[in-house]
Amino acid sequence: MLTCATGILSNLTCNNSRNKTLVTQYGGVEALIHAVLRAGEKEDVAEPAVCALRHLTSRHQDAELAQNAVRLHYGIPAMVKLLGQPYYWPVVKATVGLIRNLALCPTNQAPLREAGAIPRLVNLLLKAHQDTQRHGSSGQQTYQ
C-alpha cells in the first residue's frame, strides 16, 4: 500500500503545479517524510517518496512552504541519512535533488550543515568519480 501511495503521489506531482500545491496544502510533506522514516532501507518506498518531496519543493507557488515543512517536520536529518546508506542510486539521485531544492531556502542551510549534508555530498562526489574511473569513460551510470 505504501509503495503504491508514494508512487502515485510522485507521478501526480511530476510537472503538475496544481497537484503540487494540493499535496502540500493537505499535509503531504509530513506524510511523505513519515513514509521515508517507515520505509527504512526499502527503496521501493523511499525512492518515490523522496521524488515526490523533490517535486513538492520546486517550481510551484507553495514550493517555499514545502521546503520549510521538510525542516519543520524534522525531515532534513532523515533525508541526509539516505545519502549514507548503501548506494541505491535512484534513491541517492532523488535525495540529492531534494537537498538541492531544500538548500534554496536560506533557513534550511544551517540544518543541512548540522545534519552532515556537506561531507556526505562530498563523499558521494568522490564515490561517483571513483566509479567513473573504475568503469572507464564508457561507464553506463550517470550521476545527475
Side-chain angles (χ1 to χ4, degrees):
M1 184 61 121
L2 204 50
T3 303
C4 289
T6 56
I8 291 166
L9 285 172
S10 179
N11 290 341
L12 286 172
T13 57
C14 184
N15 297 318
N16 189 312
S17 295
R18 175 130 171 84
N19 287 345
K20 290 177 187 185
T21 297
L22 288 172
V23 171
T24 300
Q25 291 174 350
Y26 285 121
V29 170
E30 184 178 9
L32 288 161
I33 290 167
H34 287 293
V36 170
L37 293 171
R38 282 193 302 270
E41 292 189 23
K42 294 182 196 165
E43 58 269 350
D44 62 330
V45 173
E47 193 259 343
V50 174
C51 282
L53 286 167
R54 185 187 69 216
H55 299 157
L56 295 175
T57 55
S58 177
R59 296 186 294 139
H60 69 103
Q61 67 185 20
D62 286 337
E64 189 173 346
L65 181 70
Q67 292 166 2
N68 285 314
V70 172
R71 182 186 71 257
L72 295 172
H73 293 291
Y74 308 101
I76 288 177
M79 299 310 126
V80 171
K81 186 177 177 186
L82 291 174
L83 297 176
Q85 291 184 352
Y87 296 114
Y88 178 68
W89 290 113
V91 173
V92 170
K93 181 179 175 183
T95 304
V96 168
L98 172 59
I99 290 172
R100 177 197 60 221
N101 293 347
L102 295 175
L104 294 173
C105 181
T107 54
N108 283 338
Q109 291 181 7
L112 284 165
R113 276 192 307 273
E114 292 161 9
I118 293 171
R120 288 184 186 211
L121 289 166
V122 170
N123 286 337
L124 272 176
L125 185 61
L126 294 170
K127 171 91 169 106
H129 178 70
Q130 290 168 355
D131 286 356
T132 302
Q133 296 298 327
R134 195 172 315 125
H135 297 294
S137 59
S138 65
Q140 312 305 323
Q141 185 66 49
T142 58
Y143 306 97
Q144 300 174 7

